Amino acid sequence: MLKRACPSGKRFSFLSLVSYGDLKSHQSSIKFLFAFVAFILAGQSLFAQSATVRGRILSGDSSVPFATISVKGATTATQSDNDGNFSIQATPTSTLVVSAVGFATSEIKVNNRLTVTVQLQNTASQLEQVVVVGYGTQKKKDLTGAVSSIGADIIAKVPVVTVDQALQGRAAGVQVTNNDGSPGGNISVLIRGVGSLASNGNGPLYVVDGYPTSGGINNINPSDIASIDVLKDASATAIYGIRAANGVVIVTTKKGRRDGVQVSVDAYTAFQSKPKKYKILNAQQWAMLANQVADADSQRNFQELPIWRTPNALTNVSWQDAMYRTALTQNYSVGIRGGSDKVQVATSLGYYDQKGIVLGSFFKRFTMGLNLDYQPTKWLKSSTSVKYSYQNSNNPFGTGSLIQLAQLPPTLDSGNRNTAQIKDGASNYGFFNPKSAYVAKFGNPVYNIENNQFKNINNYLLANSSLEVTIFDGLKVKTNAGVNVGNYSGSYYQPIDNRLDQQYGLGGPTTNPLYSQHLNSTFEWLWENTISYDKTFGDHTINFVGGVSAQKNTYNAMGGQGIPPNGTIRDLAQVSNLQLDAFGNGQQIYSLASEFARLTYKYADKYIITGTIRRDGSSKFDTGHQYGVFPSGAIAWKVKEESFLQNVDWLTDLKVRGSYGLVGNQGSIGLFQYQGTYSTGGPASLNPNNYGYPFNKIYQRGIAATQPANPNLKWETDYQTDIGLDATFMNGHLTLAADWFNRRSKDFLLTLAAPAQTGYNFLTRNVGSMTNKGLELALTYNNQTSKDFSYSVGLTFTTIKNTLTSITSGTNFVTNFGGLAVAGIGWSTFTQTNIGQPVGEFYGYRSLGIFQTKGQLDALNAAAALKNPSSPYYQKTGTAAGDRYFADLN
């Protein structure tokens, strides 16, 4: 380097000399230096210049068509042709990344070559997938439990409202049912059958980005989902202990990217058509039938309206046309995902708007999501997930009310004197004649929907953040904390209705004004700490995870209703005749404290053993039964790795596995059911709740025990056995998963009617047992036939035999599983579950027709008397012609 002494006596580099020295005396040196630098840069440019690299993709001696070849760190990419050949622009120092369906991804350095040959290793791409399991991940090929996985690409193909619906038909052993057709209606998810006699005790546990929650996940935008993993047997679920009997659904949302920014926009619009209408009588036919009934009624118990005697003068109304409509559904979602090696960010916004096919019904949802991953060093990283949802929904004419559309008389004549229509152009609503006992009880649902005001607002926040430290290679510690916050605000306002008084002078309002308000909030926090160790020593691999967890849920609710001041002021504090919700006011606190561990040992990449255990403490049970231990064990054998199968080309992979374990269920029971309960009495004139006694001639309502304490109450237990097989064929294009399972459930948490002699109304006990035995098959075929065309075909098959094996002493059956009943028709028993039979069989009579004559009824009763003299009546309620008659199939 050229240097000289400057006036200060200090020495400067050449750059300093250029600044301060005499440039003229050094021109030749400068020219030489610039010429040298230019030569070096030109040489580098020539060396780094890209060239066409040609090659061929092989697997053994066979070519691999349609493989993807890309330059690592660049955007250049191409695909191999039918013979596996390709060409791509790359520099002599580039690295090529080669991937293909059914093969492991391979990287190869160019190293100044213009021709390369790439060998890909056969592998089952499905088995190479990383599956999220409890408190960690595993490759699917190393699983010992029964797990079904659904990727984001599958979810994106079918538009769904909730994540639950994304499971429908895509996972063997998982049954998804829409219980309610209303917008945003409830979804029921059953994994491997019904395991509890309580209707609210059969839903799975959901884990969203590491946060376990129950009650469904309709607050999550399906467009944010990266994967859904369904854990089905005890080996997979036991690490969640007392909440795992009905399976576990693990939802992982999309993360940011390391290689730039990706913007995705999803949008769709759909229309729902009106349903098929009931075939009902029009006004003329209905009036003629009413007249015939009146004429045949010698006692004149039925008196028709005079206008019905002129059927042709009646105005037809169609309640079904008025209440049903074609409905529009819109869904929009925007996601931005990007980042660098240290920071990855994913954000999303979603809007969903579904109008229902029933007037006044709708479901709107606005969602926001954020995932932030930060790794400042190799040994420290953090992850944060935030999900927010705002929902507004309404269903003023619920599913159970739709039968009214076939029961309402098809004419409104002689009702509202301003109109005989359901609603006319002047916004007058028709109503039924208030002086007729037969139609006065009917209302106009269109009037109710358009004049009454409904509000149902839900705000939901799920936030979860973790910090993970790598102590040394393979050993990690992690702390994870989160909150689950939900707030509901609902109100109903019914304005005063004076139509009958105004037109008929009957006095008083048709309906009084009413205002009701309901508020509830949930705040739940979670804190978990885990330690994991993953290491391979020659042929031995150990994977361990263990930790502790604490979770606490606080629920507050209040609500009531009454007559608002002036009929319009909507303030619950000022209403008159305030009636508080009987079960909707107060605070409930529930908590869990747990320890858990899972150890997996693998030898020679052939033999795998997994042991899992969790100890859960629940505040739902008394001191002696607060803690339960839930262990499981599993083994797996990678048969394909054995020497006798390694040369079998048609079989890409084969693994057999088996597991057995215990898991629990406490979801079907409320708080403090192990304690004795009491009820306060009513006024002195009220029976049967007269628990009072007069003291000094003043009546006191009193209090009485309604349920005895049961300190032995505990959780429901499932004993689960699973034997499974995973196989892949045709270089990974065809995959098969088969499982046989036996699920034995016992100690159901039920509140039963107590024998009268005990003096109690109810008893909460652990009773009964049942089995679910079944077979699951999942078959998937993936193929890519050209550069731009690939396809996938999947088939799932499940068969389950459900049997109630015991219940409790004194009875052989339980009724109305799920709380089902048909009100108002004298049919109190809707389903019946008998020992030795499946849960929830429909129970009742089969309709055979209508008695045409009294003689027909007498003949049937006479035949019944010969068959069963102790019960001589065929059907006691049938007493005359025109009554329906049934066959008793029970």
Side-chain angles (χ1 to χ4, degrees), residues 67 90 132 294 441 469 566 581 592 689 714 791 821 825:
V132 182
K441 60 183 179 181
V469 178
N566 299 326
D581 289 350
L592 276 173
N689 295 326
K714 63 177 186 177
Y791 63 93
I825 62 172

Side-chain angles (χ1 to χ4, degrees), residues 24 69 370 536 703 777 819 879:
K24 291 183 179 180
I69 305 97
L370 170 67
T536 298
I703 189 171
L777 295 174
T879 58

Side-chain angles (χ1 to χ4, degrees), residues 681-744:
S685 60
L686 186 63
N687 276 315
N689 295 326
N690 188 335
Y691 304 145
Y693 192 82
F695 290 93
N696 295 324
K697 297 183 179 180
I698 300 176
Y699 176 80
Q700 304 296 332
R701 296 192 176 201
I703 189 171
T706 57
Q707 176 177 298
N710 183 4
N712 295 320
L713 202 66
K714 63 177 186 177
W715 51 90
E716 301 176 5
T717 304
D718 267 29
Y719 302 81
Q720 299 185 6
T721 303
D722 185 276
I723 299 174
L725 177 147
D726 298 313
T728 60
F729 311 90
M730 304 169 61
N731 291 328
H733 293 294
L734 181 65
T735 63
L736 170 69
D739 285 88
W740 174 88
F741 62 89
N742 183 6
R743 178 185 177 189
R744 296 182 295 113

Side-chain angles (χ1 to χ4, degrees), residues 135 207-213 243 462-465 479-484 523-529 548-553 592 594 596 614:
Y135 303 98
V207 181
V208 180
D209 288 338
Y211 194 109
T213 182
R243 297 174 290 179
L462 180 65
N464 200 26
S465 187
T479 184
N480 179 52
V483 293
N484 185 355
F523 181 84
E524 181 182 85
W525 59 261
L526 169 76
W527 188 26
E528 295 180 325
N529 295 278
V548 294
S549 173
Q551 194 166 359
K552 185 176 182 179
N553 183 294
L592 276 173
S594 314
F596 53 87
R614 182 170 180 127

Side-chain angles (χ1 to χ4, degrees), residues 262 278 284 310 336 448 490 492 590 629 635 677 717 726 765 823:
Q262 179 192 58
Y278 295 110
Q284 289 72 37
T310 55
I336 303 175
N448 294 333
Y492 169 75
Y590 155 68
V629 178
I635 58 174
T677 60
T717 304
D726 298 313
R765 301 168 52 196

Side-chain angles (χ1 to χ4, degrees), residues 626-800:
Q626 280 188 335
Y627 286 90
V629 178
F630 305 94
S632 76
I635 58 174
W637 176 26
K638 295 183 178 180
V639 188
K640 175 61 178 176
E641 300 300 322
E642 300 292 350
S643 58
F644 58 83
L645 284 180
Q646 286 185 352
N647 295 324
V648 179
D649 295 335
W650 57 269
L651 181 64
T652 308
D653 201 276
L654 177 64
K655 178 180 68 176
V656 294
R657 49 186 166 76
S659 69
Y660 178 79
L662 278 67
V663 282
N665 182 19
Q666 61 161 7
S668 62
I669 192 172
L671 304 182
F672 308 115
Q673 294 301 301
Y674 62 87
Q675 294 183 337
T677 60
Y678 297 84
S679 176
T680 57
S685 60
L686 186 63
N687 276 315
N689 295 326
N690 188 335
Y691 304 145
Y693 192 82
F695 290 93
N696 295 324
K697 297 183 179 180
I698 300 176
Y699 176 80
Q700 304 296 332
R701 296 192 176 201
I703 189 171
T706 57
Q707 176 177 298
N710 183 4
N712 295 320
L713 202 66
K714 63 177 186 177
W715 51 90
E716 301 176 5
T717 304
D718 267 29
Y719 302 81
Q720 299 185 6
T721 303
D722 185 276
I723 299 174
L725 177 147
D726 298 313
T728 60
F729 311 90
M730 304 169 61
N731 291 328
H733 293 294
L734 181 65
T735 63
L736 170 69
D739 285 88
W740 174 88
F741 62 89
N742 183 6
R743 178 185 177 189
R744 296 182 295 113
S745 309
K746 61 177 295 187
D747 296 331
F748 307 128
L749 289 162
L750 293 180
T751 299
L752 304 173
Q757 60 269 26
T758 65
Y760 296 104
N761 295 335
F762 304 103
L763 298 171
T764 301
R765 301 168 52 196
N766 292 106
V767 298
S769 62
M770 76 169 69
T771 62
N772 286 278
K773 298 179 181 179
L775 178 68
E776 299 172 354
L777 295 174
L779 193 66
T780 305
Y781 181 76
N782 297 283
N783 196 15
Q784 186 166 3
T785 60
S786 68
K787 178 180 179 180
D788 301 316
F789 181 75
S790 63
Y791 63 93
S792 175
V793 179
L795 172 68
T796 61
F797 171 80
T798 306
T799 177
I800 301 175

Side-chain angles (χ1 to χ4, degrees), residues 53-65:
V53 178
R54 304 180 188 278
R56 191 179 184 194
I57 313 299
L58 298 172
S59 176
D61 296 328
S62 303
S63 61
V64 179

